Amino acid sequence: MDVQVEVLKELRDLAARLPHAVGSSVASTDGLLIAHDVRGVEPDMLAALSAAYLALGQQLAGALDRGAFRDTVTRAADGHVGVYAAGQSALLTVLTGPDTNIGRLHLEARGSADRIGALVDGALARLS
């Protein structure tokens, strides 16, 4: 099965498990869109911004000697944006509404990020 199809299935499964989820995307760490399940947001822009956010988080964690970046969540007036490292080559971005339980967001998104990371890293390993 195509990795993009498998990643999209994971995004849809995540939406089904996570109350208040309004969209998600997976991008490469350099900001190229791999798959998305978002409406009302330009997916390529979301991928690029998420990669920039990941890079900033990596720099912050590294500069403060906190280890490898794992995730970050931004709380805004109309909801949350979570960015999660997904293996070595990708990242998962999850958009939710304002009533999201952050613990549940982390629980569900971290599991999805692990599965997505394995899919993307595995596909890249097969190509090399």
Side-chain angles (χ1 to χ4, degrees):
M1 185 182 289
D2 180 11
V3 70
Q4 190 175 24
V5 171
E6 292 180 61
V7 169
L8 185 56
K9 180 183 180 315
E10 183 63 43
L11 293 180
R12 291 186 175 146
D13 289 348
L14 173 62
R17 292 189 313 270
L18 185 61
H20 309 290
V22 297
S24 58
S25 72
V26 173
S28 65
T29 54
D30 58 359
L32 298 176
L33 185 66
I34 295 172
H36 75 90
D37 186 21
V38 293
R39 289 164 296 289
V41 175
E42 173 55 45
D44 289 316
M45 178 196 66
L46 179 60
L49 288 172
S50 297
Y53 202 36
L54 172 73
L56 183 60
Q58 288 172 327
Q59 288 179 346
L60 180 64
L64 299 174
D65 199 27
R66 299 289 121 199
F69 173 88
R70 293 195 52 207
D71 53 62
T72 187
V73 174
T74 297
R75 180 175 168 249
D78 294 328
H80 302 84
V81 179
V83 178
Y84 297 82
Q88 296 298 309
S89 308
L91 59 99
L92 166 66
T93 302
V94 182
L95 308 175
T96 70
D99 296 328
T100 296
N101 177 306
I102 298 301
R104 178 78 181 268
L105 170 61
H106 283 318
L107 175 71
E108 299 296 348
R110 286 174 180 159
S112 288
D114 289 345
R115 289 185 290 277
I116 289 166
L119 289 168
V120 173
D121 290 346
L124 290 173
R126 287 189 296 277
L127 292 175
S128 50

